[in-house]
Amino acid sequence: MLRPRLRIPLRPRLSTPAQSTLLPLACRARPMHALAPLEYNQKNQASDNGIAEFLSPAAFNISWTQYQTHLLERLNRMTAETEWESKHVKDIMLGNARDPGGAPIFNHASMIHNNHFFFKHLSPTPVEMPDNLRSHLEKSFGSIETLRREMVHTAASMFGPGFVWLVKTSQPGLPTAFKVLATYAAGSPYPAAHWRRQEVDMNTAAGGNIDAAIDSGKSYLERSAYGAGKRTNAVSKKVAHAPGGTDLLPVLCLNTWEHVWLWDYGFGVGQSGGGKLAYAEKWWKQINWELVQKEANVQRLEMSSAA
């Protein structure tokens, strides 16, 4: 009597594509966000050699290649088969900034944008500050040295990770100027990312059901379902930023997350020339000021947050 044999599928050969043929075609064709190329790393120069005396190859690999790829993979999973999967990262960030339910997507998209903005404006070789940009910055800070100290020491004194930004500001009736501000964690400097809206007016929603949901320990998002249809977005759709907010445009940033500087600089305990302050000081020497001037567009007198 013949016994049926158990057929065990063989492991695919190395030459076989890793992608399963059983995956739906739509999944394989889905547009995904990928690691953006850096101008100074087109031929893996920074990956192999680091960035001058600023970041070692190991630090560059951790803080750019590995960390940025990690964030992108997480964002791709969260936005797959949603309205956001084919949107630009900045649009995803701003589109979820005011929605408490979209906080995880906002955090990843904002961190991807901020980290890229930091690395994008670096240069392995010194790039002199254009005279036109220098003139505008001196009008705002009195001197370039004042600007340097403000950015460097703000970064060194931050208790927790984040970013220090140089931003171009504009208010009605006032001349365009530049300011320094700090954001923590994955926070964004864009006015459109502030003033998170509450989707449900808890004062006018069905009170009895809301109270019951609160008593039962349901989350905010679960409680919000009881007030479906009673939206309070009208105001937030009319304004590009929070009431009283200032229109601004980021032109440069310094990343103060530990995984960027700790590898090369340590905490600076018992040594000179170490720690976050030393990292920030060296960062100033690696800025691509030509690109900063391009971001600032100093010839433009008025701005709009929608630009």
Side-chain angles (χ1 to χ4, degrees), residues 90-128:
K90 182 180 175 181
D91 294 331
I92 297 175
M93 172 187 70
L94 297 180
N96 287 275
R98 299 182 185 180
D99 180 8
I105 294 178
F106 165 80
N107 287 334
H108 282 77
S110 183
M111 192 64 193
I112 290 168
H113 173 275
N114 296 355
N115 198 41
H116 178 251
F117 205 87
F118 164 67
F119 276 97
K120 172 184 174 183
H121 292 84
L122 296 177
S123 174
T125 55
V127 176
E128 291 294 326

Side-chain angles (χ1 to χ4, degrees), residues 249-305:
L249 178 72
V251 300
L252 178 68
C253 78
L254 170 56
N255 190 334
T256 68
W257 279 70
E258 286 88 349
H259 63 260
V260 184
W261 56 269
L262 197 57
W263 185 280
D264 288 341
Y265 298 88
F267 287 109
V269 178
Q271 67 182 65
S272 59
K276 187 163 57 169
L277 177 59
Y279 157 80
E281 293 275 8
K282 288 191 176 182
W283 162 78
W284 183 263
K285 301 175 182 178
Q286 307 300 147
I287 298 171
N288 187 335
W289 289 108
E290 290 283 356
L291 189 53
V292 175
Q293 176 172 257
K294 184 178 179 181
E295 298 277 7
N297 191 10
V298 291
Q299 283 76 24
R300 187 177 178 184
L301 299 180
E302 297 181 356
M303 302 189 322
S304 169
S305 59

Side-chain angles (χ1 to χ4, degrees), residues 158-185:
M158 288 177 68
F159 190 79
F163 296 83
V164 179
W165 301 85
L166 174 62
V167 299
K168 177 183 176 183
T169 67
S170 178
Q171 289 179 304
L174 297 176
T176 297
F178 291 87
K179 294 182 179 181
V180 172
L181 61 85
T183 59
Y184 281 84

